[in-house]
Amino acid sequence: MTTTGTDIVELDRIAVHESLKVLARAGATDWERDTPCAGWTLRALVAHMTAQHHGFAAAARGTGHEKAHWREPADTNDDPGRTYREAASAVLDAFAEPGVMEREFVLPELGGTFPGRRAVGFHFIDYVVHAWDVAATLGVGLELPGAVLDAAVAVARRVPADAALRGPGFAFAPARDVPAGADALDEALRLLGRDPEGWPLPGR
């Protein structure tokens, strides 16, 4: 269980489904849009998200050490949305298997092996942030319940802020200052180096 009293697997499922929901609003002309991930178009971001789903699914089943599972799709020109949906289904199915929290996940990009609960937490925070990335790119709203956002802040506060572990080549950019009164989503995003003011969502 998390500090919110909700199972991390369920929180992760909600975040992934929200990423699917917002990505479903992408049209044919949206794939080359810039995103909050510097240097990445929406097509490149979704290719990364797809690879991470397959990698984490493999890790949940004991084959995370095999680099092939973490490779981005060779061709995303056809239907990036369909490819992403298939990957999302794969990781959600893997995380739903009995005993997944008691397994050890090999996560090469993070440099080691991690308990299942912690590994799913890594995936969870990634997809809260990536769901926002996609929503910000498309200029659409994001709907994540309070339990998800409270858990996201708790995880974001535990991510090392060491500048040597942030920036190009790492999962997150250097942390930004969190202004007084920031809500849970803004705090989580800023702690993980995103710029919610530069990429405002409708109604925020």
Side-chain angles (χ1 to χ4, degrees):
M1 303 292 283
T2 67
T3 54
T4 66
T6 305
D7 191 309
I8 190 64
V9 171
E10 174 61 12
L11 295 173
D12 181 78
R13 185 192 66 79
I14 294 169
V16 172
H17 274 288
E18 185 63 13
S19 75
L20 288 163
K21 178 181 171 184
V22 294
L23 188 60
R25 300 182 66 173
T29 61
D30 291 323
W31 296 108
E32 307 313 318
R33 284 180 181 242
D34 291 334
T35 72
C37 302
W40 282 6
T41 62
L42 182 60
R43 185 184 304 279
L45 171 61
V46 172
H48 165 77
M49 293 164 66
T50 298
Q52 291 292 302
H53 282 329
H54 283 305
F56 271 87
R61 291 172 172 151
T63 58
H65 60 285
E66 297 177 10
K67 293 182 180 179
H69 295 301
W70 299 90
R71 291 184 187 135
E72 295 182 2
D75 183 5
T76 59
N77 291 321
D78 181 24
D79 189 348
R82 176 184 56 78
T83 305
Y84 180 72
R85 290 191 298 273
E86 292 171 352
S89 293
V91 76
L92 294 179
D93 287 348
F95 285 1
E97 291 176 0
V100 74
M101 293 294 93
E102 286 69 52
R103 299 176 191 171
E104 293 288 313
F105 285 46
V106 177
L107 303 175
E109 294 185 358
L110 296 179
T113 301
F114 300 86
R117 187 175 304 280
R118 190 175 178 201
V120 175
F122 294 153
H123 188 266
F124 160 70
I125 193 62
D126 240 11
Y127 284 85
V128 170
V129 174
H130 285 327
W132 176 84
D133 287 333
V134 175
T137 299
L138 298 174
V140 301
L142 187 68
E143 297 180 4
L144 290 170
V148 170
L149 297 177
D150 289 345
V153 169
V155 174
R157 288 172 178 166
R158 295 197 297 269
V159 175
D162 185 344
L165 301 174
R166 297 290 191 103
F170 292 96
F172 300 112
R176 294 173 176 268
D177 291 337
V178 179
D183 64 21
L185 179 59
D186 274 13
E187 180 177 350
L189 292 170
R190 289 173 183 276
L191 288 174
L192 298 174
R194 295 301 199 266
D195 178 14
E197 284 187 359
W199 294 82
L201 300 184
R204 291 182 63 83

